Amino acid sequence: MRRLAVALALLAAAAAAARADWEVKRSPFDARLVARYKQILHANPDDGEALARLTALYKQYKSVDELRRELGAAAEKSHEANDWLAVGNLARNRGDFAGAAKAYAAALDAKSDDARALTALADADAHLGKNGEARPLYERALA
């Protein structure tokens, strides 16, 4: 009787371990959701909600530096002003106004008459105390 109880206990433990091997383990970092937020930012880099949610996902499951690298790589590959604006907005939200200014300048290199890039670069320069450089940028944006 004792052998039967031990055998049943071993069989139950083995069955539980076998079931655990077949369970699907999903990462809470949903790549499709991340791709969708990046697509939204590509179309509209000023979408604060998409940027905030994407940043929150990276804060929780990866790192914001990794998000910065990924957005920067996409911007370098596409050479589009919107992608550089998204990189700049991420840097600005983190308080990195020097990094934001660099990204906004790259957006202006991609599209020299982009009023959003001009205004964003002027704002970053103003936060850095470069008021003399910010004023002509604001004037260009208004022209």
Side-chain angles (χ1 to χ4, degrees), residues 122 125 130-140:
D125 283 346
K130 300 178 182 177
N131 295 332
E133 295 176 25
R135 183 179 176 141
L137 293 170
Y138 283 127
E139 291 172 355
R140 273 181 59 196

Side-chain angles (χ1 to χ4, degrees), residues 38-52:
K38 287 180 179 179
Q39 184 181 29
I40 291 170
L41 287 176
H42 175 74
N44 179 12
D46 294 324
D47 189 330
E49 183 177 341
L51 184 59

Side-chain angles (χ1 to χ4, degrees), residues 41-87:
L41 287 176
H42 175 74
N44 179 12
D46 294 324
D47 189 330
E49 183 177 341
L51 184 59
R53 289 184 182 200
L54 188 59
T55 304
L57 280 170
Y58 273 82
K59 272 185 185 176
Q60 187 171 2
Y61 300 112
K62 291 192 176 191
S63 73
V64 180
D65 285 332
E66 188 171 344
L67 174 61
R68 181 189 53 77
R69 284 191 301 271
E70 289 176 11
L71 290 178
E76 287 174 5
K77 185 177 179 182
S78 72
H79 300 292
E80 291 189 29
N82 278 358
D83 291 336
W84 285 114
L85 285 168
V87 172

